[in-house]
């Protein structure tokens, strides 16, 4: 059962966190509008698209900076409790510091579940809308940048088939210098080539131009040549070069399936996708770690008052974000383990939380 003190602290925890988000999001929107308004006017972006973009921006922004908002909110209201000598009164009544932490842990649990569910279902859709808007209206040559490297693409689409295209045009759904090789037990059985391949999303078929199929025989090869041929392959042309932020736009179930498919294909971007997946679980855990650090730092009454606590809190919060970004980028751009990279900041700051908590108990 929650006591009156537990309810009081829990209410302050959730209320301060909510107010912190509601205060900073409008500031973020104003700054973003000031930076992008000229581009929007230049590209004559419809008002409805702008409104939807800023809804997606709000979700994306809140999720990205959630650790900082949470940490600063806990520092803020706990420092006020300490300055008002409320914490001294609570601990003097016989309540242990561990027991004092209970409402904070309950609050962190509520926030973690909320962030976890948002990361699974709400943030992916917001991320897709946010990034689509940026690449469509705000970036020069955005349509091409969305696809990243879309030249000389070689992919394994299943256990037996390999595809190569020289280049891919996303708008026309067309690839050039297409080659498909089919193997059976490491032996090439047939090879299809075409100067151009065009995907028809309505009919779910491909049109191959200058089509050539060479079937390998024991004694003689069989060659089929036609100027144009419709073929139903079991892959979509867009799968050759998915958008660079594809993993961020997928819900949990779809993300698992996508990663499994990309592993079988030998994708070079698999680490990027794994970083997105692991962060869905690591970010909610950080709520507990940052809450404990914030309470340990701000529960003592200092000479500098709240200003000192906030300065320490801001330094720790930005250090956490710095570690998170650095190791995430390291995993995406190298052979560094994505699992270790994503969880390393939590491990480092988890050790820091234990150390600070022991000192606070004393």
């Amino acid at each position: 059962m929650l006591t009156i003190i537990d309810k009081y602290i829990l209410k302050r925890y959730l209320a301060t966190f909510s107010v912190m988000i509601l205060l900073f999001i409008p500031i973020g929107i104003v700054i973003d509008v000031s930076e992008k308004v000229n581009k929007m006017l230049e590209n004559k972006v419809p008002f409805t698209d702008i409104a939807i973009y800023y809804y997606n921006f709000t979700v994306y922004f809140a999720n990205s900076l959630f650790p900082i908002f949470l940490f600063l909110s806990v520092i803020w209201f706990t420092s006020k409790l300490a300055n008002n000598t409320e914490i001294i009164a609570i601990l003097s009544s016989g309540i242990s510091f561990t027991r004092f932490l209970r409402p904070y842990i309950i609050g962190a649990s509520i926030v973690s579940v909320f962030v976890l569910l948002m990361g699974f279902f709400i943030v992916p859709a917001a991320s897709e809308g946010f990034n689509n808007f940026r690449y469509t209206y705000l970036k020069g040559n955005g349509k091409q940048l969305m696809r990243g490297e879309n030249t000389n693409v070689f992919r394994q689409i299943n256990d037996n088939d390999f595809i190569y295209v020289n280049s891919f045009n996303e708008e026309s759904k067309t690839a050039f210098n297409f080659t498909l090789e089919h193997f059976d037990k490491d032996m090439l059985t047939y090879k299809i080539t075409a100067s151009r391949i065009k995907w028809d999303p309505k009919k779910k078929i491909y049109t191959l131009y200058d089509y050539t199929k060479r079937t390998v025989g024991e004694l003689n090869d069989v060659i089929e040549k036609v100027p144009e041929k419709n073929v139903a392959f079991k892959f979509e042309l867009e799968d050759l070069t998915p958008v660079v932020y594809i993993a961020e736009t997928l819900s949990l179930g779809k993300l698992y399936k996508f990663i499994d498919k990309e592993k079988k294909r030998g994708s070079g971007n698999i680490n990027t996708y794994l970083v997105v997946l692991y962060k869905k679980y690591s970010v909610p855990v950080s709520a507990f770690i940052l809450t404990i650090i914030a309470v340990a730092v701000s529960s003592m009454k200092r000479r500098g008052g709240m200003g000192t606590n906030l300065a320490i809190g801001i330094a720790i919060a930005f250090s956490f974000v710095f570690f998170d970004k650095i190791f995430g980028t390291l995993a995406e751009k190298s052979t560094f383990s994505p699992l270790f990279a994503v969880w390393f900041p939590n491990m480092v700051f988890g050790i820091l939380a234990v150390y600070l908590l022991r000192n606070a108990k004393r």
Side-chain angles (χ1 to χ4, degrees):
M1 295 291 293
L2 294 177
T3 63
I4 294 175
I5 294 175
D6 290 336
K7 292 178 182 178
Y8 172 69
I9 293 175
L10 181 59
K11 182 180 178 180
R12 295 285 296 273
Y13 183 107
L14 298 176
T16 309
F17 176 59
S18 301
V19 170
M20 188 73 71
I21 290 178
L22 293 175
L23 284 175
F24 275 93
I25 284 176
I27 295 173
I29 291 175
V30 170
I31 293 172
D32 192 73
V33 169
S34 65
E35 290 179 349
K36 299 181 173 66
V37 64
N38 291 334
K39 276 281 187 180
M40 292 178 185
L41 293 174
E42 181 184 330
N43 293 322
K44 298 179 180 179
V45 184
F47 176 77
T48 52
D49 287 359
I50 295 174
I52 293 171
Y53 165 72
Y54 278 106
Y55 160 75
N56 292 323
F57 173 86
T58 299
V59 176
Y60 189 87
F61 180 74
N63 183 73
S64 299
L65 298 181
F66 142 76
I68 295 178
F69 293 150
L70 179 68
F71 194 75
L72 293 182
S73 63
V74 176
I75 288 275
W76 176 267
F77 86 83
T78 305
S79 294
K80 289 189 70 177
L81 292 178
N83 286 342
N84 295 333
T85 66
E86 292 178 77
I87 294 178
I88 294 175
I90 292 171
L91 298 178
S92 298
S93 67
I95 295 176
S96 67
F97 196 86
T98 303
R99 175 63 182 81
F100 169 69
L101 277 175
R102 180 190 290 181
Y104 287 94
I105 299 302
I106 294 173
S109 299
I110 294 171
V111 172
S112 293
V113 171
F114 180 71
V115 171
L116 192 68
L117 294 176
M118 279 194 64
F120 286 170
F121 305 109
I122 299 175
V123 173
S127 178
E128 181 175 15
F130 172 77
N131 283 295
N132 285 348
F133 186 92
R134 287 174 60 239
Y135 279 91
T136 302
Y137 296 115
L138 305 178
K139 287 181 177 284
N141 204 28
K143 289 289 186 180
Q144 284 69 40
L145 293 174
M146 286 173 69
R147 296 284 166 180
E149 180 58 51
N150 62 356
T151 58
N152 295 322
V153 179
F154 180 77
R155 301 292 296 271
Q156 179 178 355
I157 58 174
N158 54 48
D159 293 338
N160 300 316
D161 295 326
F162 296 80
I163 287 179
Y164 168 80
V165 294
N166 176 255
S167 61
F168 171 65
N169 187 299
E170 192 274 334
E171 291 185 0
S172 64
K173 310 296 182 186
T174 304
F176 301 90
N177 295 331
F178 170 81
T179 299
L180 183 146
E181 296 179 340
H182 179 84
F183 290 83
D184 184 11
K185 296 180 180 179
D186 298 328
M187 295 292 293
L188 179 65
T189 57
Y190 66 83
K191 179 177 180 179
I192 296 174
T193 59
S195 61
R196 183 161 52 100
I197 178 173
K198 184 176 177 63
W199 166 245
D200 187 334
K202 293 182 178 179
K203 297 180 180 178
K204 302 293 183 182
I205 61 171
Y206 294 90
T207 301
L208 281 72
Y209 300 89
D210 298 325
Y211 172 90
T212 301
K213 181 178 181 180
R214 185 186 190 100
T215 304
V216 179
E218 293 184 6
L219 299 177
N220 297 308
D221 295 348
V222 178
I223 299 176
E224 176 189 0
K225 278 190 174 184
V226 291
E228 182 179 321
K229 185 168 184 174
N230 292 330
V231 182
F233 291 124
K234 294 182 179 180
F235 67 91
E236 293 187 12
L237 200 58
E238 290 184 350
D239 289 343
L240 295 177
T241 55
V243 293
V244 293
Y245 49 84
I246 181 66
E248 298 177 23
T249 68
L250 301 175
S251 60
L252 185 65
K254 291 181 179 179
L255 181 57
Y256 271 111
K257 291 179 181 177
F258 175 75
I259 290 175
D260 184 59
K261 182 173 68 174
E262 291 300 296
K263 281 183 177 179
K264 292 179 179 177
R265 290 177 171 179
S267 172
N269 296 323
I270 195 65
N271 279 4
T272 302
Y273 307 145
L274 288 173
V275 166
V276 174
L277 174 63
Y278 296 146
K279 278 189 177 182
K280 289 183 181 293
Y281 296 101
S282 69
V283 170
V285 172
S286 66
F288 294 95
I289 297 171
L290 293 176
T291 294
I292 293 172
I293 293 175
V295 175
V297 167
S298 59
S299 58
M300 292 181 292
K301 193 171 183 178
R302 302 177 189 274
R303 289 184 179 179
M306 291 178 60
T308 303
N309 289 338
L310 284 173
I312 296 172
I314 290 171
I316 294 175
F318 278 96
S319 296
F320 179 85
V321 173
F322 175 78
F323 270 82
D324 181 62
K325 296 298 182 183
I326 287 294
F327 281 90
T329 303
L330 185 63
E332 292 174 4
K333 304 299 182 181
S334 68
T335 58
F336 201 76
S337 169
L339 182 63
F340 181 78
V342 169
W343 284 95
F344 183 73
N346 278 348
M347 290 188 287
V348 171
F349 283 84
I351 295 170
L352 177 62
V354 172
Y355 171 77
L356 292 175
L357 185 60
R358 285 185 177 181
N359 284 339
K361 285 181 179 180
R362 295 171 187 174

